Amino acid sequence: MTDVTRHLDGRTLILLSNREPYEHLAGVEGVHVRQPPGGLVSALDPTMRRTSGTWVAWGSGSADRETADEVGRLGVPPFEPAYTLRRVWLDESDIAGYYLGFANSALWPLCHLLIQHFEFHREHWECYQSINSRFATAVYEESLRATGTPQVWVQDYHFALVPAELRRLAPDIFIHHFWHIPFPPPDMLRLLPMGVPEKLLRGLLGNDLIEFHTERYTHNFLNCVREFLPDVQVRGELRRVSVDGRSVALGAFPISIDVDAFERLALTEESDARAAALRQRFTRGGRALGVSVDRLDYTKGIPERLRALDRLWYESPELRGRFTMIIVATPSRTELIPYQTLESDVLTSVREINERYGTSEWEPIVLVHENVHAELLAAIYRAADLCLVSSLQDGMNLVAKEFVAAQVDEHGVLVLSRFTGAAEEIEQAVLINPFNVAGFADGIRAALEMPADERRRRMRAMRAQLHRSTIFDWLESILARCADLMDGCCSDPDVERRRPPAVIADAAEQDAVPDVPDRPQWGDARP
Ligand code: ADQ
């Protein structure tokens, strides 16, 4: 693993995310600690350990208060403290307004262009503002305690207003922000009441650098600033915005996973045995196994996937009994009605499909309706002949990358929605449009019929590409970019312009932000 701390050059990293890296839970056998799964924690935890930084997050665990001091601080990892976790306490109404409300019922659907789920309530917006302000204050307090010059890194759409608020408290502090979900075009933000888009954008412009997964989202952000903040100078060709005498840089930094760790998980003895057992059960005699893994979220296109599968088994009766899908779907945000409706719709559709095509010997869809630990996930990915990712919109989609990392035997095909950030990066996947059910079914059929040598060739290419772009490369490119900006930090945009372009994200020579070329997809124009 690359040591990215050199880019910090003695600066103290203060990270802000909604989810905490260590959660204390009260159980029957006493308090236990849990590290939430996921790439972000596994990439950032080692960096935080090496730099003795501070991670600020919502203290969500049932035993979090009793394991922290009166301010909410504790040393983590719990048995070998190396950095500080500062927990911020939220009560039920805070969670309802800020998290379930404005963040997940307004911003989440708007950013994913799914306006049928969009709900705006003024109280939620007020709560979002006050909770953002509370987090900004907590970050500010931690910055005052930092031994080195602080560098603040904000994560995601939960905290759009934090950068401007923090900038007000500490004008000279370096702040950057990673936006994990798509950034929408102006028409989406226009659905918010007047004044709200302006406040959100001004909040984000408190940053020195804003990081998105793709150029498309950067482009959307710049267009939103042009539309809602006419007084702000946008220099799209430089991916820069000048505001209040400061320069804000933007860039595309596609997130990834800990590729080696995932590959290792797929190669353990246990995974070997599990993958072999799955193949023995589902793929004997030339049969095929497919997999999908998601949180039960309406952005992931699960009903659309089920429709395509239904059509596939309807149109191609020869595939009945010869192709099985394992659908791993974890309940998510179950407090919200659209998520409850989705869950019950998915359960009903799976039952209907299984009744329609299943036999006493064969069940078309095996639904795993729970959280699955990473090692089992790696074994399922490894055993599968194809993976279906059908998001209607998705910032990146890490499942696609996990599947590729776990495909150590190189026989699987990735069937990938063209509306994921991953589709703009990964070549050699079979691209589909989940809204086009017939085309989606064609894409699955094409994957199933793909000759073994072509599968191998495609998978090998995807694996090589993934190994060149891991979560550590992502982290390094962001921290290197920050170091460049901090070293040359200045408020004069003309001085900034003289600095050489630094990273992948800059296309300083171009006059306009290019749109991302679409690649052909199944069901439209066959490649
Ligand atoms: P998510 O919307 O959560 O992330 P994704 O990128 O696919 O989507 O990551 C999901 C993670 O959860 C994966 O690591 C996956 O393995 C895991 N997971 C899902 N279902 C699971 C299950 N049943 N059991 C165990 N693990 C499960 C947001 C954005 C994405 C962006 C990421 C990172 O919406 O677009 O890629 O952040 O920036």
Side-chain angles (χ1 to χ4, degrees), residues 20-24 33-35 45 48-49 52-56 63-87 89 142 145:
E20 54 184 342
Y22 296 90
E23 189 177 42
H24 284 91
V33 65
R34 196 178 76 111
Q35 191 167 34
D45 184 67
M48 296 300 280
R49 288 188 203 203
S52 315
T54 300
W55 194 318
V56 181
D64 271 359
R65 276 182 198 263
E66 62 192 86
T67 45
D69 69 13
E70 66 285 356
V71 186
R73 288 191 193 106
L74 70 156
V76 289
F79 302 107
E80 211 186 0
Y83 68 93
T84 304
L85 170 59
R86 162 77 189 272
R87 287 171 172 157
W89 311 117
E142 296 311 310
R145 299 175 77 238

Side-chain angles (χ1 to χ4, degrees), residues 108 112 178 180-181 213 255 293-295 300 328-330 370-372 377 381 394-399 402:
W108 176 266
H112 289 90
F178 193 85
H180 288 259
I181 63 176
H213 290 295
I255 203 169
V293 177
D294 334 71
R295 291 182 297 102
K300 303 293 181 186
V328 182
T330 329
E370 60 192 37
N371 212 46
V372 169
L377 216 49
Y381 286 138
D394 213 331
M396 173 53 65
N397 192 282
L398 296 179
V399 168
E402 291 170 359

Side-chain angles (χ1 to χ4, degrees), residues 60-121:
S60 54
S62 52
D64 271 359
R65 276 182 198 263
E66 62 192 86
T67 45
D69 69 13
E70 66 285 356
V71 186
R73 288 191 193 106
L74 70 156
V76 289
F79 302 107
E80 211 186 0
Y83 68 93
T84 304
L85 170 59
R86 162 77 189 272
R87 287 171 172 157
V88 174
W89 311 117
L90 301 180
D91 66 22
E92 272 188 28
S93 78
D94 297 334
I95 297 163
Y98 140 81
Y99 177 71
L100 295 169
F102 189 73
N104 283 319
S105 300
L107 275 182
W108 176 266
L110 282 190
C111 288
H112 289 90
L113 320 183
L114 296 169
I115 57 174
Q116 66 274 35
H117 300 296
F118 167 61
E119 262 187 54
F120 178 85
H121 297 283

Side-chain angles (χ1 to χ4, degrees), residues 14 139-140 143-144 149-152 163 166-167 169-175 206 208 486:
I14 301 177
V139 171
Y140 175 60
S143 76
L144 297 178
T149 311
Q151 175 187 138
V152 175
L166 187 56
R167 173 83 46 217
L169 296 168
D172 295 327
I173 205 164
F174 188 89
I175 314 169
D208 292 288
M486 284 179 93

